[in-house]
Amino acid sequence: ASNEQHAGIINNFANGLLGLEDFFVEGQEGINNVQFMNAIEYSGWKGGAEVTLPVNEDDYLEELNKHRALSGYKTGNDNLVSHIEASFDKK
């Protein structure tokens, strides 16, 4: 079995819009996932502070804009693979 990950989701979304197949998930589930990921990111920006769902959009945007202001074009190799085998307990 293949694991299409993002490409499979994007293809399903396009095919769903064209009426060629059913969507894998309903739109509200997609929104819930975005809200969840925003909460994780926002908590990280706040040093791991507890946050509630949905994150306050104004507060999130304010913090996001702080990070945007510090962001720049990356010239390094963004395709590096981290080897994490040593972090697992080998019994």
Side-chain angles (χ1 to χ4, degrees):
S2 68
N3 184 352
E4 296 180 348
Q5 298 181 352
H6 291 94
I9 297 295
I10 293 168
N11 287 333
N12 171 255
F13 180 71
N15 287 334
L17 291 176
L18 294 170
L20 301 175
E21 63 185 57
D22 291 336
F23 292 107
F24 288 152
V25 296
E26 296 295 323
Q28 186 59 47
E29 285 306 309
I31 292 169
N32 291 344
N33 284 309
V34 169
Q35 289 176 348
F36 183 64
M37 294 307 298
N38 286 350
I40 291 170
E41 188 170 49
Y42 187 67
S43 173
W45 292 337
K46 296 295 188 180
E50 185 175 306
V51 298
T52 58
L53 288 171
V55 172
N56 179 290
E57 291 180 20
D58 293 331
D59 294 344
Y60 178 84
L61 182 57
E62 180 180 336
E63 193 65 30
L64 177 62
N65 284 331
K66 290 177 189 176
H67 289 273
R68 285 180 178 153
L70 300 173
S71 182
Y73 180 75
K74 295 182 174 122
T75 58
N77 182 352
D78 291 333
N79 295 315
L80 296 176
V81 175
S82 296
H83 296 284
I84 59 171
E85 293 87 1
S87 66
F88 297 100
D89 184 17
K90 297 177 184 175
K91 293 182 180 182

Coordinates of all heavy atoms in Angstrom, one line a residue:
A1 N 0.8 -1.2 0.0 CA 0.0 0.0 0.0 C 0.9 1.2 0.0 O 1.8 1.3 0.7 CB -0.9 0.0 1.2
S2 N 0.5 2.2 -0.8 CA 1.3 3.4 -0.9 C 0.8 4.4 0.1 O -0.4 4.4 0.5 CB 1.3 4.0 -2.3 OG 0.0 4.4 -2.6
N3 N 1.6 5.4 0.5 CA 1.2 6.4 1.4 C 1.4 7.7 0.6 O 2.5 8.2 0.5 CB 2.1 6.4 2.7 CG 1.7 7.4 3.7 OD1 0.8 8.3 3.4 ND2 2.2 7.4 4.8
E4 N 0.4 8.3 0.1 CA 0.5 9.5 -0.7 C 0.6 10.8 0.1 O 0.9 11.8 -0.5 CB -0.8 9.5 -1.6 CG -0.8 8.4 -2.6 CD -2.1 8.5 -3.5 OE1 -2.9 9.4 -3.2 OE2 -2.1 7.8 -4.5
Q5 N 0.3 10.7 1.3 CA 0.4 11.9 2.2 C -0.2 13.1 1.6 O -1.4 13.1 1.2 CB 1.9 12.1 2.6 CG 2.4 10.9 3.4 CD 3.9 11.2 3.9 OE1 4.5 12.1 3.5 NE2 4.4 10.3 4.7
H6 N 0.5 14.2 1.6 CA -0.1 15.5 1.1 C -0.6 15.4 -0.3 O -1.6 16.0 -0.6 CB 1.0 16.6 1.3 CG 1.2 16.9 2.7 ND1 2.3 16.4 3.4 CD2 0.6 17.7 3.6 CE1 2.2 16.8 4.7 NE2 1.2 17.6 4.8
A7 N 0.2 14.8 -1.2 CA -0.2 14.7 -2.6 C -1.6 14.0 -2.7 O -2.4 14.5 -3.5 CB 0.8 14.0 -3.4
G8 N -1.8 13.0 -2.0 CA -3.1 12.3 -2.0 C -4.2 13.2 -1.5 O -5.3 13.1 -2.1
I9 N -4.0 13.9 -0.4 CA -5.0 14.8 0.1 C -5.3 15.9 -0.9 O -6.5 16.2 -1.2 CB -4.6 15.4 1.4 CG1 -4.4 14.3 2.5 CG2 -5.5 16.5 1.9 CD1 -5.6 13.6 2.9
I10 N -4.3 16.5 -1.5 CA -4.5 17.6 -2.5 C -5.2 17.0 -3.7 O -6.2 17.7 -4.2 CB -3.2 18.2 -2.9 CG1 -2.6 19.0 -1.7 CG2 -3.3 19.1 -4.1 CD1 -1.1 19.4 -1.8
N11 N -4.9 15.8 -4.2 CA -5.6 15.2 -5.3 C -7.0 15.0 -5.0 O -7.9 15.2 -5.8 CB -4.9 14.0 -5.8 CG -3.6 14.3 -6.5 OD1 -3.4 15.3 -7.1 ND2 -2.6 13.3 -6.5
N12 N -7.3 14.4 -3.8 CA -8.6 14.2 -3.4 C -9.4 15.5 -3.3 O -10.6 15.5 -3.8 CB -8.7 13.5 -2.0 CG -10.1 13.4 -1.5 OD1 -10.5 14.1 -0.6 ND2 -10.9 12.5 -2.1
F13 N -8.8 16.5 -2.8 CA -9.5 17.8 -2.7 C -9.9 18.3 -4.1 O -11.1 18.7 -4.4 CB -8.7 18.8 -2.0 CG -9.3 20.2 -1.9 CD1 -10.4 20.4 -1.0 CD2 -8.8 21.3 -2.6 CE1 -11.0 21.6 -0.9 CE2 -9.4 22.5 -2.5 CZ -10.5 22.7 -1.6
A14 N -9.0 18.3 -5.1 CA -9.2 18.7 -6.4 C -10.3 17.8 -7.1 O -11.2 18.3 -7.7 CB -7.9 18.7 -7.2
N15 N -10.2 16.5 -6.9 CA -11.2 15.6 -7.5 C -12.5 15.8 -6.9 O -13.6 15.7 -7.5 CB -10.7 14.2 -7.4 CG -9.6 13.8 -8.3 OD1 -9.4 14.4 -9.4 ND2 -8.8 12.8 -7.9
G16 N -12.6 16.1 -5.6 CA -13.8 16.4 -4.9 C -14.5 17.6 -5.4 O -15.7 17.7 -5.7
L17 N -13.7 18.7 -5.7 CA -14.2 19.9 -6.3 C -14.8 19.7 -7.7 O -15.8 20.3 -8.0 CB -13.1 21.0 -6.3 CG -12.7 21.6 -5.0 CD1 -11.5 22.5 -5.3 CD2 -13.8 22.3 -4.3
L18 N -14.1 18.8 -8.4 CA -14.6 18.4 -9.7 C -15.7 17.4 -9.7 O -16.3 17.1 -10.8 CB -13.4 17.9 -10.6 CG -12.3 18.9 -10.8 CD1 -11.1 18.1 -11.4 CD2 -12.8 20.0 -11.7
G19 N -16.1 16.9 -8.6 CA -17.2 16.0 -8.5 C -16.8 14.6 -8.9 O -17.6 13.7 -9.2
L20 N -15.5 14.3 -9.0 CA -15.0 13.0 -9.4 C -14.9 11.9 -8.3 O -14.9 10.7 -8.5 CB -13.6 13.1 -10.0 CG -13.6 14.0 -11.3 CD1 -12.1 14.2 -11.8 CD2 -14.5 13.5 -12.4
E21 N -14.9 12.4 -7.0 CA -14.8 11.5 -5.9 C -15.3 12.2 -4.7 O -15.4 13.5 -4.6 CB -13.5 10.9 -5.7 CG -12.4 11.9 -5.4 CD -11.0 11.2 -5.3 OE1 -10.6 10.6 -6.3 OE2 -10.3 11.3 -4.2
D22 N -15.6 11.5 -3.6 CA -16.0 12.1 -2.3 C -14.8 12.6 -1.6 O -13.7 12.0 -1.8 CB -16.7 11.0 -1.4 CG -18.1 10.6 -2.0 OD1 -18.7 11.4 -2.7 OD2 -18.5 9.5 -1.6
F23 N -15.0 13.7 -0.9 CA -13.9 14.2 -0.1 C -13.5 13.2 1.0 O -14.4 12.5 1.6 CB -14.3 15.5 0.6 CG -14.4 16.6 -0.4 CD1 -15.7 17.1 -0.7 CD2 -13.3 17.2 -1.0 CE1 -15.9 18.2 -1.6 CE2 -13.5 18.3 -1.9 CZ -14.8 18.7 -2.2
F24 N -12.2 13.1 1.4 CA -11.8 12.2 2.5 C -12.4 12.7 3.8 O -12.8 11.9 4.6 CB -10.3 12.3 2.7 CG -9.5 11.5 1.6 CD1 -8.2 11.9 1.3 CD2 -10.0 10.5 0.9 CE1 -7.5 11.3 0.3 CE2 -9.3 9.8 -0.1 CZ -8.0 10.2 -0.4
V25 N -12.5 14.0 4.0 CA -13.1 14.6 5.2 C -13.9 15.8 4.9 O -13.8 16.3 3.8 CB -12.0 15.0 6.2 CG1 -11.1 13.9 6.7 CG2 -11.1 16.1 5.6
E26 N -14.8 16.1 5.7 CA -15.7 17.3 5.6 C -14.9 18.5 5.9 O -13.9 18.5 6.6 CB -16.9 17.2 6.5 CG -17.8 16.0 6.2 CD -18.5 16.1 4.8 OE1 -18.8 17.2 4.4 OE2 -18.6 15.1 4.1
G27 N -15.3 19.6 5.3 CA -14.6 20.9 5.5 C -14.4 21.3 7.0 O -13.4 21.8 7.3
Q28 N -15.4 21.0 7.8 CA -15.3 21.4 9.2 C -14.1 20.7 9.9 O -13.4 21.2 10.7 CB -16.6 21.1 10.0 CG -16.5 21.6 11.5 CD -16.3 23.1 11.6 OE1 -16.9 23.9 10.9 NE2 -15.4 23.5 12.4
E29 N -13.9 19.4 9.5 CA -12.7 18.7 10.1 C -11.4 19.3 9.7 O -10.5 19.4 10.4 CB -12.8 17.2 9.6 CG -13.8 16.4 10.3 CD -13.7 16.5 11.9 OE1 -12.6 16.3 12.4 OE2 -14.7 16.8 12.5
G30 N -11.3 19.9 8.4 CA -10.1 20.6 8.0 C -9.9 21.8 8.9 O -8.8 22.1 9.3
I31 N -11.0 22.6 9.1 CA -10.9 23.8 9.9 C -10.5 23.4 11.3 O -9.6 24.1 11.9 CB -12.3 24.5 9.9 CG1 -12.5 25.1 8.5 CG2 -12.3 25.6 11.0 CD1 -13.9 25.6 8.4
N32 N -11.0 22.3 11.9 CA -10.7 21.9 13.2 C -9.2 21.6 13.3 O -8.5 21.9 14.3 CB -11.5 20.6 13.7 CG -12.9 21.0 13.9 OD1 -13.3 22.1 14.1 ND2 -13.7 19.9 13.9
N33 N -8.6 20.9 12.3 CA -7.2 20.6 12.2 C -6.3 21.8 12.2 O -5.3 21.9 12.8 CB -6.9 19.6 11.1 CG -7.3 18.2 11.4 OD1 -7.0 17.7 12.4 ND2 -8.1 17.6 10.5
V34 N -6.8 22.8 11.4 CA -6.0 24.1 11.3 C -6.0 24.8 12.7 O -5.0 25.2 13.1 CB -6.6 25.0 10.2 CG1 -6.0 26.4 10.3 CG2 -6.3 24.4 8.8
Q35 N -7.2 24.8 13.3 CA -7.2 25.4 14.6 C -6.3 24.7 15.6 O -5.7 25.3 16.5 CB -8.7 25.4 15.1 CG -9.6 26.4 14.4 CD -11.0 26.3 14.8 OE1 -11.4 25.4 15.5 NE2 -11.8 27.3 14.4
F36 N -6.3 23.4 15.6 CA -5.5 22.6 16.4 C -4.0 22.9 16.2 O -3.2 23.1 17.2 CB -5.8 21.1 16.3 CG -5.0 20.2 17.2 CD1 -5.2 20.2 18.5 CD2 -4.1 19.3 16.7 CE1 -4.5 19.4 19.4 CE2 -3.4 18.5 17.5 CZ -3.6 18.5 18.9
M37 N -3.6 22.9 14.9 CA -2.2 23.2 14.6 C -1.8 24.6 15.0 O -0.7 24.9 15.5 CB -1.9 23.0 13.1 CG -2.0 21.5 12.7 SD -1.0 20.4 13.7 CE 0.6 21.0 13.4
N38 N -2.7 25.6 14.8 CA -2.5 27.0 15.3 C -2.3 27.0 16.8 O -1.4 27.7 17.3 CB -3.6 27.9 14.9 CG -3.6 28.2 13.4 OD1 -2.7 27.9 12.7 ND2 -4.7 28.8 12.9
A39 N -3.0 26.2 17.5 CA -2.9 26.2 19.0 C -1.6 25.7 19.4 O -0.9 26.2 20.3 CB -4.0 25.4 19.6
I40 N -1.1 24.6 18.7 CA 0.2 24.0 19.0 C 1.3 25.1 18.8 O 2.2 25.3 19.6 CB 0.5 22.8 18.2 CG1 -0.5 21.6 18.7 CG2 1.9 22.3 18.3 CD1 -0.5 20.4 17.8
E41 N 1.2 25.7 17.6 CA 2.2 26.7 17.2 C 2.2 27.9 18.2 O 3.2 28.4 18.7 CB 1.9 27.2 15.8 CG 3.0 28.1 15.2 CD 2.7 28.3 13.8 OE1 1.6 28.7 13.4 OE2 3.7 28.2 13.0
Y42 N 1.0 28.4 18.5 CA 0.8 29.5 19.4 C 1.4 29.2 20.8 O 2.1 30.0 21.4 CB -0.6 29.9 19.5 CG -0.9 31.2 20.3 CD1 -0.5 32.4 19.8 CD2 -1.6 31.2 21.4 CE1 -0.7 33.6 20.5 CE2 -1.9 32.3 22.2 CZ -1.4 33.5 21.7 OH -1.7 34.7 22.4
S43 N 1.1 28.0 21.3 CA 1.6 27.6 22.6 C 3.1 27.6 22.6 O 3.8 28.0 23.6 CB 1.1 26.2 22.9 OG 1.7 25.7 24.1
G44 N 3.7 27.1 21.5 CA 5.2 27.1 21.4 C 5.8 28.5 21.4 O 6.8 28.7 22.0
W45 N 5.1 29.4 20.7 CA 5.6 30.8 20.7 C 5.5 31.4 22.1 O 6.2 32.3 22.5 CB 4.7 31.6 19.8 CG 4.9 31.3 18.3 CD1 6.0 30.7 17.7 CD2 4.0 31.6 17.3 NE1 5.7 30.6 16.4 CE2 4.5 31.2 16.1 CE3 2.7 32.2 17.3 CZ2 3.9 31.3 14.9 CZ3 2.0 32.3 16.1 CH2 2.6 31.9 14.9
K46 N 4.6 30.9 22.9 CA 4.4 31.4 24.3 C 5.1 30.5 25.3 O 4.7 30.5 26.5 CB 2.9 31.4 24.6 CG 2.1 32.4 23.7 CD 2.6 33.8 24.0 CE 1.7 34.8 23.3 NZ 2.2 36.2 23.6
G47 N 6.1 29.8 24.9 CA 6.9 29.0 25.8 C 6.3 27.8 26.4 O 6.6 27.3 27.5
G48 N 5.3 27.3 25.6 CA 4.6 26.1 26.1 C 3.4 26.4 26.9 O 2.8 25.5 27.6
A49 N 3.0 27.6 26.9 CA 1.8 28.0 27.8 C 0.5 27.2 27.3 O 0.4 26.9 26.1 CB 1.6 29.5 27.7
E50 N -0.3 27.0 28.2 CA -1.6 26.3 27.9 C -2.5 27.3 27.1 O -2.6 28.5 27.5 CB -2.3 25.9 29.2 CG -3.6 25.2 29.0 CD -4.2 24.7 30.3 OE1 -3.5 24.0 31.1 OE2 -5.4 25.0 30.5
V51 N -3.1 26.9 26.1 CA -4.0 27.7 25.3 C -5.3 27.0 25.1 O -5.4 25.7 25.3 CB -3.4 28.0 23.9 CG1 -2.1 28.8 24.0 CG2 -3.1 26.8 23.1
T52 N -6.3 27.7 24.8 CA -7.7 27.1 24.5 C -8.0 27.1 23.1 O -7.4 27.9 22.3 CB -8.7 27.9 25.3 OG1 -8.7 29.2 24.9 CG2 -8.5 27.8 26.8
L53 N -8.9 26.2 22.7 CA -9.3 26.1 21.3 C -10.7 26.8 21.2 O -11.5 26.5 22.1 CB -9.4 24.7 20.8 CG -8.1 24.0 20.6 CD1 -8.3 22.5 20.4 CD2 -7.4 24.6 19.4
P54 N -11.0 27.5 20.2 CA -10.0 27.9 19.2 C -9.2 29.1 19.7 O -9.6 29.8 20.6 CB -10.9 28.4 18.0 CG -12.2 28.9 18.7 CD -12.4 27.9 19.9
V55 N -8.0 29.2 19.2 CA -7.1 30.3 19.7 C -7.7 31.6 19.2 O -8.3 31.7 18.2 CB -5.7 30.1 19.0 CG1 -4.8 31.3 19.3 CG2 -5.0 28.8 19.5
N56 N -7.6 32.6 20.1 CA -8.1 33.9 19.8 C -7.4 34.4 18.5 O -6.2 34.5 18.4 CB -7.8 34.9 20.9 CG -8.3 36.3 20.6 OD1 -7.7 37.0 19.8 ND2 -9.3 36.7 21.3
E57 N -8.1 34.6 17.4 CA -7.6 35.0 16.1 C -6.7 36.2 16.1 O -5.7 36.3 15.5 CB -8.7 35.1 15.1 CG -9.3 33.8 14.8 CD -10.4 33.9 13.7 OE1 -10.5 34.9 13.0 OE2 -11.3 33.0 13.7
D58 N -7.2 37.3 16.9 CA -6.4 38.5 16.9 C -5.1 38.3 17.6 O -4.1 38.8 17.2 CB -7.2 39.6 17.6 CG -8.5 40.0 16.9 OD1 -8.5 39.9 15.6 OD2 -9.5 40.4 17.5
D59 N -5.1 37.6 18.7 CA -3.8 37.3 19.5 C -2.9 36.5 18.6 O -1.7 36.7 18.6 CB -4.1 36.6 20.8 CG -4.9 37.4 21.8 OD1 -4.9 38.7 21.6 OD2 -5.4 36.9 22.7
Y60 N -3.4 35.4 17.9 CA -2.6 34.6 17.1 C -2.0 35.4 15.9 O -0.8 35.3 15.7 CB -3.5 33.4 16.5 CG -2.7 32.5 15.6 CD1 -1.9 31.5 16.1 CD2 -2.7 32.7 14.2 CE1 -1.2 30.7 15.2 CE2 -2.0 31.9 13.4 CZ -1.2 30.9 13.9 OH -0.5 30.1 13.0
L61 N -2.8 36.2 15.3 CA -2.3 37.0 14.2 C -1.2 38.0 14.6 O -0.2 38.2 14.0 CB -3.4 37.8 13.5 CG -3.0 38.6 12.3 CD1 -2.4 37.8 11.2 CD2 -4.3 39.3 11.7
E62 N -1.4 38.6 15.8 CA -0.4 39.5 16.3 C 0.9 38.8 16.5 O 2.0 39.3 16.1 CB -0.9 40.1 17.7 CG 0.1 41.1 18.3 CD -0.4 41.6 19.6 OE1 -1.6 41.7 19.8 OE2 0.5 42.0 20.4
E63 N 0.9 37.6 17.1 CA 2.1 36.8 17.3 C 2.7 36.3 16.0 O 3.9 36.4 15.8 CB 1.8 35.6 18.3 CG 3.0 34.9 18.8 CD 3.9 35.8 19.7 OE1 3.3 36.7 20.4 OE2 5.1 35.6 19.8
L64 N 1.9 35.9 15.1 CA 2.3 35.5 13.8 C 3.0 36.6 13.1 O 4.1 36.4 12.5 CB 1.1 35.0 12.9 CG 1.5 34.5 11.5 CD1 2.4 33.3 11.5 CD2 0.2 34.2 10.8
N65 N 2.5 37.8 13.1 CA 3.1 38.9 12.5 C 4.5 39.3 13.1 O 5.4 39.7 12.4 CB 2.2 40.1 12.5 CG 1.1 40.0 11.5 OD1 1.2 39.4 10.5 ND2 0.0 40.6 11.8
K66 N 4.7 39.0 14.4 CA 6.0 39.2 15.0 C 7.0 38.2 14.3 O 8.1 38.6 14.0 CB 5.9 38.9 16.5 CG 5.2 40.0 17.3 CD 5.2 39.6 18.8 CE 4.3 40.4 19.6 NZ 4.2 40.0 21.0
H67 N 6.6 37.0 14.1 CA 7.5 36.0 13.5 C 7.7 36.3 12.0 O 8.8 36.1 11.5 CB 6.9 34.6 13.7 CG 7.0 34.2 15.1 ND1 8.1 33.6 15.6 CD2 6.2 34.3 16.2 CE1 8.0 33.3 16.9 NE2 6.8 33.8 17.3
R68 N 6.7 36.8 11.3 CA 6.8 37.2 9.9 C 7.9 38.3 9.8 O 8.6 38.3 8.8 CB 5.5 37.7 9.4 CG 4.5 36.6 9.1 CD 3.2 37.3 8.5 NE 2.2 36.3 8.2 CZ 1.0 36.5 8.2 NH1 0.5 37.7 8.5 NH2 0.1 35.6 7.8
A69 N 7.9 39.2 10.7 CA 8.8 40.3 10.6 C 10.3 39.9 10.7 O 11.2 40.5 10.2 CB 8.5 41.4 11.7
L70 N 10.5 38.8 11.4 CA 11.8 38.2 11.6 C 12.2 37.2 10.6 O 13.3 36.7 10.6 CB 11.9 37.6 13.0 CG 11.7 38.6 14.2 CD1 11.7 37.8 15.5 CD2 12.7 39.7 14.2
S71 N 11.3 36.8 9.7 CA 11.5 35.8 8.8 C 12.2 36.3 7.5 O 12.1 37.4 7.2 CB 10.1 35.1 8.4 OG 10.3 34.1 7.5
G72 N 12.9 35.4 6.9 CA 13.6 35.8 5.7 C 13.8 34.6 4.8 O 13.4 33.5 5.1
Y73 N 14.2 34.9 3.6 CA 14.5 33.8 2.6 C 15.5 32.9 3.1 O 16.6 33.3 3.5 CB 14.9 34.5 1.3 CG 15.1 33.4 0.2 CD1 14.0 32.8 -0.4 CD2 16.4 33.1 -0.2 CE1 14.2 31.9 -1.4 CE2 16.6 32.2 -1.2 CZ 15.5 31.6 -1.8 OH 15.7 30.7 -2.8
K74 N 15.3 31.6 3.0 CA 16.3 30.6 3.4 C 17.1 30.2 2.2 O 16.6 29.8 1.2 CB 15.5 29.4 4.0 CG 14.8 29.7 5.3 CD 14.2 28.5 5.9 CE 13.6 28.9 7.2 NZ 12.2 28.7 7.4
T75 N 18.4 30.2 2.3 CA 19.3 29.8 1.3 C 19.9 28.5 1.5 O 20.6 28.0 0.6 CB 20.4 30.9 1.1 OG1 21.1 31.0 2.3 CG2 19.8 32.2 0.7
G76 N 19.8 27.9 2.7 CA 20.4 26.6 3.0 C 19.6 25.5 2.4 O 18.6 25.6 1.7
N77 N 20.0 24.3 2.7 CA 19.4 23.1 2.2 C 18.2 22.8 3.2 O 18.3 22.4 4.3 CB 20.4 21.9 2.3 CG 19.7 20.6 1.7 OD1 18.5 20.6 1.5 ND2 20.5 19.6 1.5
D78 N 17.0 23.0 2.7 CA 15.8 22.8 3.4 C 15.3 21.4 3.4 O 14.2 21.0 3.9 CB 14.6 23.7 3.0 CG 14.9 25.2 3.3 OD1 15.6 25.5 4.2 OD2 14.4 26.0 2.5
N79 N 16.0 20.5 2.7 CA 15.6 19.1 2.5 C 16.4 18.2 3.4 O 16.6 17.0 3.0 CB 15.7 18.8 1.0 CG 14.8 19.5 0.2 OD1 13.6 19.7 0.6 ND2 15.3 20.1 -0.9
L80 N 17.0 18.7 4.5 CA 17.8 17.8 5.3 C 16.9 16.8 6.1 O 15.7 17.1 6.4 CB 18.5 18.7 6.4 CG 19.6 19.6 5.8 CD1 20.1 20.5 7.0 CD2 20.7 18.9 5.1
V81 N 17.4 15.6 6.3 CA 16.7 14.6 7.0 C 17.4 14.4 8.4 O 18.6 14.2 8.4 CB 16.7 13.3 6.2 CG1 16.1 12.2 7.0 CG2 16.0 13.4 4.9
S82 N 16.6 14.4 9.4 CA 17.1 14.2 10.8 C 17.1 12.7 11.1 O 16.0 12.1 10.9 CB 16.3 15.0 11.8 OG 16.4 16.4 11.6
H83 N 18.2 12.2 11.6 CA 18.2 10.8 12.0 C 18.0 10.8 13.5 O 18.8 11.3 14.3 CB 19.5 10.2 11.6 CG 19.7 10.1 10.1 ND1 19.1 9.2 9.3 CD2 20.4 10.9 9.3 CE1 19.4 9.4 8.1 NE2 20.2 10.4 8.0
I84 N 16.9 10.2 13.9 CA 16.5 10.2 15.3 C 16.5 8.8 16.0 O 16.0 8.7 17.1 CB 15.1 10.9 15.5 CG1 14.0 10.1 14.7 CG2 15.1 12.3 15.1 CD1 12.6 10.5 14.9
E85 N 17.1 7.9 15.3 CA 17.1 6.5 15.8 C 17.7 6.5 17.2 O 17.2 5.7 18.0 CB 17.9 5.6 14.9 CG 17.3 5.4 13.5 CD 17.7 6.4 12.5 OE1 18.5 7.4 12.8 OE2 17.2 6.4 11.4
A86 N 18.7 7.3 17.5 CA 19.3 7.2 18.8 C 18.4 7.7 19.9 O 18.7 7.5 21.1 CB 20.6 8.0 18.8
S87 N 17.3 8.4 19.6 CA 16.4 8.9 20.6 C 15.4 7.8 21.1 O 14.7 8.1 22.1 CB 15.7 10.1 20.1 OG 14.8 9.8 19.1
F88 N 15.4 6.7 20.5 CA 14.5 5.6 20.9 C 15.2 4.6 21.8 O 16.3 4.3 21.5 CB 13.9 4.9 19.6 CG 13.1 5.8 18.8 CD1 13.6 6.4 17.6 CD2 11.8 6.1 19.1 CE1 12.8 7.2 16.8 CE2 11.0 7.0 18.3 CZ 11.5 7.5 17.2
D89 N 14.4 4.1 22.7 CA 14.9 3.1 23.6 C 15.0 1.8 22.9 O 14.0 1.3 22.4 CB 14.0 3.0 24.9 CG 14.6 2.0 25.9 OD1 15.8 1.6 25.8 OD2 13.8 1.6 26.7
K90 N 16.2 1.2 22.7 CA 16.3 0.0 22.0 C 16.4 -1.2 22.9 O 17.4 -1.4 23.6 CB 17.6 0.0 21.1 CG 17.5 1.1 20.0 CD 18.8 1.1 19.2 CE 18.7 2.3 18.3 NZ 19.9 2.5 17.5
K91 N 15.3 -1.9 23.1 CA 15.2 -3.0 24.0 C 15.4 -4.3 23.3 O 15.1 -4.5 22.2 CB 13.9 -3.0 24.8 CG 13.7 -1.8 25.7 CD 12.4 -1.9 26.4 CE 12.3 -0.7 27.3 NZ 11.1 -0.7 28.1

